[in-house]
Amino acid sequence: MKKLFLTILVLTFSKTFSQTKNFIDQPYVETSAKVDTLVIPDRIYLNISITEKDTKGKISVEELETKMNEKLKSLGIVTEKQLTLNDLSSNYKKYFLKQQDILKNKNYTLLVNNAKIAGRVIVALEEIEISNVVLEKTEYSKAEEMIMTLKSEAIIKAKNQAIAMTKPLNQKVGNAIFISDFSNIVNMLSGRVAGIQIRGARSLEEKDKYEPVNIEFEKIKIETEVKVTFKLE
């Protein structure tokens, strides 16, 4: 029984070694290729904080919330789908130390689809004394589809490189026998206020001369890299 087990083990090892050896012994060429692209973000997340502190307690959070909801709807934003409540907190520390009324805060995340709307939101909220607006992050909704497209382009590029490398040798590039890939999404803007450029903004005192704020967000870089081993014929 032990002899039979040993024989099977040796045969299995020999088969595995033979397959590895065949792969190494056959002529091949290995190339790598990287492709990338820049896309305009179409999912912009704004963090909006409303607090009674901004109005020195004269306007309640509930009133500010109602005003904000109405203002956003006037811009064509569907608040039921695009606005979400993050948390509700109260400044209890001030309440106990200074014996003042509790100053409440609410934090929301607003999703908009382009920088122009984001600019309008910022200005519109300032008009109702809500100025705590911070950029959370930007995303590209079709990032996965773009990565797949770039993979295909990278494979083509890798094969063209292999053909260029073997042409002087009068050798023909055959089928791919090994492929590895690496994909990445970089420049995802998250909390980086420096990524916002506001142009043409006017003070709230010049409402009669108001012009929409022009905001440009940093583009998102999507890149992929492949390494391909081609059999030489």
Side-chain angles (χ1 to χ4, degrees), residues 2-216:
K2 290 184 179 179
K3 185 177 180 181
L4 178 60
F5 176 76
L6 181 61
T7 303
I8 294 174
L9 183 62
V10 170
L11 288 174
T12 303
F13 175 77
S14 298
K15 184 178 180 181
T16 303
F17 178 78
S18 176
Q19 289 175 342
T20 304
K21 186 174 184 298
N22 289 339
F23 171 77
I24 295 175
D25 286 350
Q26 63 184 329
Y28 67 89
V29 59
E30 185 177 82
T31 63
S32 62
K34 180 187 292 186
V35 294
D36 60 63
T37 188
L38 294 175
V39 295
I40 299 173
D42 59 0
R43 294 178 67 87
I44 297 129
Y45 296 85
L46 300 175
N47 180 274
I48 303 172
S49 176
I50 58 176
T51 174
E52 294 172 353
K53 182 180 178 181
D54 289 343
T55 62
K56 298 180 180 179
K58 295 179 181 179
I59 304 177
S60 68
V61 161
E62 290 74 19
E63 291 177 275
L64 287 172
E65 184 179 47
T66 300
K67 288 184 177 182
M68 177 183 68
N69 191 54
E70 293 174 351
K71 182 65 73 171
L72 293 177
K73 285 187 175 182
S74 70
L75 297 176
I77 293 173
V78 182
T79 55
E80 294 81 1
K81 295 181 179 180
Q82 296 175 247
L83 184 68
T84 56
L85 177 65
N86 294 333
D87 59 50
L88 172 63
S89 60
S90 300
N91 195 335
Y92 288 103
K93 186 176 180 180
K94 274 193 174 181
Y95 175 72
F96 287 114
L97 294 181
K98 299 184 178 181
Q99 296 300 311
Q100 295 178 347
D101 292 334
I102 298 174
L103 297 177
K104 292 179 290 185
N105 307 282
K106 274 190 175 183
N107 289 294
Y108 305 82
T109 293
L110 177 67
L111 171 63
V112 295
N113 297 322
N114 57 64
K116 187 175 182 180
I117 296 177
R120 289 178 176 175
V121 167
I122 292 172
V123 173
L125 293 181
E126 284 183 341
E127 293 176 357
I128 55 174
E129 299 186 62
I130 298 176
S131 56
N132 295 321
V133 182
V134 178
L135 178 64
E136 282 188 6
K137 62 180 178 178
T138 60
E139 294 177 345
Y140 180 59
S141 61
K142 297 182 179 179
E144 292 299 324
E145 292 91 331
M146 180 59 68
I147 288 176
M148 297 305 294
T149 299
L150 294 179
K151 286 182 189 293
S152 297
E153 293 179 5
I155 290 290
I156 294 173
K157 183 177 179 181
K159 186 172 183 179
N160 288 336
Q161 289 178 168
I163 293 172
M165 291 169 63
T166 56
K167 188 175 181 180
L169 304 175
N170 295 319
Q171 288 182 288
K172 184 179 179 182
V173 175
N175 295 332
I177 53 180
F178 184 78
I179 301 175
S180 60
D181 73 278
F182 312 90
S183 300
N184 195 17
I185 303 176
V186 295
N187 292 350
M188 293 292 282
L189 192 59
S190 178
R192 293 164 55 189
V193 181
I196 304 179
Q197 297 178 353
I198 302 179
R199 300 172 182 170
R202 298 179 180 273
S203 66
L204 297 180
E205 296 177 356
E206 301 180 47
K207 291 180 181 178
D208 55 327
K209 299 180 181 179
Y210 166 75
E211 294 179 6
V213 173
N214 179 23
I215 295 181
E216 295 179 356

Side-chain angles (χ1 to χ4, degrees), residues 215-226:
I215 295 181
E216 295 179 356
F217 290 106
E218 183 178 352
K219 291 183 179 180
I220 297 172
K221 182 179 181 182
I222 301 177
E223 65 180 18
T224 187
E225 181 178 3
V226 299

